[in-house]
Amino acid sequence: MSPGKRGLIIAIDGVAGSGKSTTAKLVAQRLGYMHMDTGAMYRAVALKMLRCGVEVTDSEKIDDLLRNTTVTQKESDSQPRIVLDGADVTDEIRTPEISLWVGPVSENPLVRQHLVRWQRELGKDGGVVLEGRDIGTVVFPDADLKVYMVADLKARAKRRRKEMLAKGLDQSQAEVEASLAARDERDSTREHSPLRKADDAIVVDTTNLTIGDQVERVVELARKIAPTAIRT
Ligand code: DC
């Protein structure tokens, strides 16, 4: 850990539904770090573009829009609340419509450029767990710890379906599997910052792990890097 930093920079990347969000949130709680859900930031930008009727191909309007947009996070006990231009949009960004629309939005290089800048600014002092697709490869290639989370498609779909049901959204297992598979394909084959494991990332396969196991594994890896700073 570099001197003067508040703590480690921990990057957690991986496929959708691998358990990144829950793990990142709980690891951050254990270590007293900030949790940054970068996917939620892309979702908030997608929501704003949708509301303002800005097409994903209109670079000029996107640039203008993003210069006048703020996306921040408020810590809360459950999940971080996402605040877009001062209003809490945590629930609006999780609809199936935004899940579809955020794909093309996150492929736009201009959108990525703005978001990577915001993320670096928010995380540069350390003491942060960032989760996303390009954290260890692009946002913080020098992160102190890089974790790459994977899990079987079936296991991921089962978890995602449960989360959706809790919010009153009912989709069949087959539908959820198909949508996750399509997102995997899209995230890993896109032109700009595709999802890929950084060479120095440690793979954690969560197919047969409980949430507690996942968290313990990441905390243990962090402890190995900074044994004196992390005693929890
Ligand atoms: O993790 P999520 O499902 O909330 O992510 C939403 C979208 O944003 C998904 O299509 C992948 C994309 N994303 C990205 O391109 N880069 C990140 N660092 C995080 C998410």
Side-chain angles (χ1 to χ4, degrees):
M1 184 165 89
S2 326
K5 282 223 218 121
R6 284 199 283 258
L8 302 176
I9 295 181
I10 301 180
I12 303 186
D13 290 302
V15 288
S18 57
K20 291 190 304 281
S21 291
T22 316
T23 306
K25 180 188 80 183
L26 295 175
V27 168
Q29 273 176 10
R30 273 277 289 279
L31 304 183
Y33 281 12
M34 175 171 78
H35 166 209
M36 201 190 301
D37 177 352
T38 64
M41 296 171 87
Y42 282 93
R43 285 170 180 269
V45 166
L47 176 67
K48 178 145 179 188
M49 284 171 61
L50 195 65
R51 282 178 177 170
C52 297
V54 173
E55 293 293 334
V56 74
T57 46
D58 192 339
S59 296
E60 209 171 307
K61 277 205 181 132
I62 293 176
D63 198 37
D64 205 38
L65 187 92
L66 292 181
R67 284 180 195 283
N68 294 294
T69 299
T70 55
V71 178
T72 51
Q73 266 188 207
K74 256 191 323 199
E75 291 300 318
S76 93
D77 289 344
S78 45
Q79 66 181 131
R81 310 298 298 178
I82 303 298
V83 181
L84 169 67
D85 298 331
D88 188 326
V89 292
T90 313
D91 298 325
E92 284 99 315
I93 61 172
R94 299 279 163 203
T95 60
E97 189 190 13
I98 294 295
S99 294
L100 270 182
W101 172 233
V102 69
V105 167
S106 69
E107 280 164 22
N108 183 295
L110 201 56
V111 170
R112 301 205 72 82
Q113 197 182 310
H114 278 276
L115 278 160
V116 167
R117 188 164 44 79
W118 295 347
Q119 289 156 16
R120 285 185 181 148
E121 188 52 38
L122 288 167
K124 68 180 189 319
D125 294 329
V128 64
V129 183
L130 299 108
E131 48 143 319
R133 306 290 192 289
D134 61 341
I135 310 301
T137 51
V138 176
V139 183
F140 284 110
D142 296 329
D144 301 288
L145 170 61
K146 299 182 189 176
V147 173
Y148 191 78
M149 291 181 83
V150 296
D152 283 356
L153 180 62
K154 277 200 185 328
R156 292 189 282 134
K158 212 167 140 193
R159 291 177 194 156
R160 194 40 71 89
R161 187 157 178 254
K162 208 166 137 195
E163 277 168 22
M164 290 169 76
L165 275 174
K167 289 180 194 148
L169 301 166
D170 191 6
Q171 278 191 322
S172 69
Q173 171 80 12
E175 276 172 324
V176 183
E177 274 182 31
S179 106
L180 282 178
R183 297 240 331 256
D184 290 353
E185 171 72 12
R186 187 155 204 160
D187 287 348
S188 52
T189 57
R190 70 182 177 208
E191 187 184 348
H192 302 283
S193 308
L195 169 68
R196 72 171 178 82
K197 179 183 118 35
D199 294 338
D200 50 350
I202 295 160
V203 175
V204 174
D205 184 336
T206 67
T207 308
N208 296 308
L209 295 184
T210 64
I211 306 262
D213 295 335
Q214 288 162 210
V215 173
E216 203 45 58
R217 196 150 307 176
V218 178
V219 170
E220 186 52 40
L221 291 168
R223 199 183 287 126
K224 276 196 191 138
I225 293 169
T228 48
I230 295 174
R231 295 172 191 281
T232 169

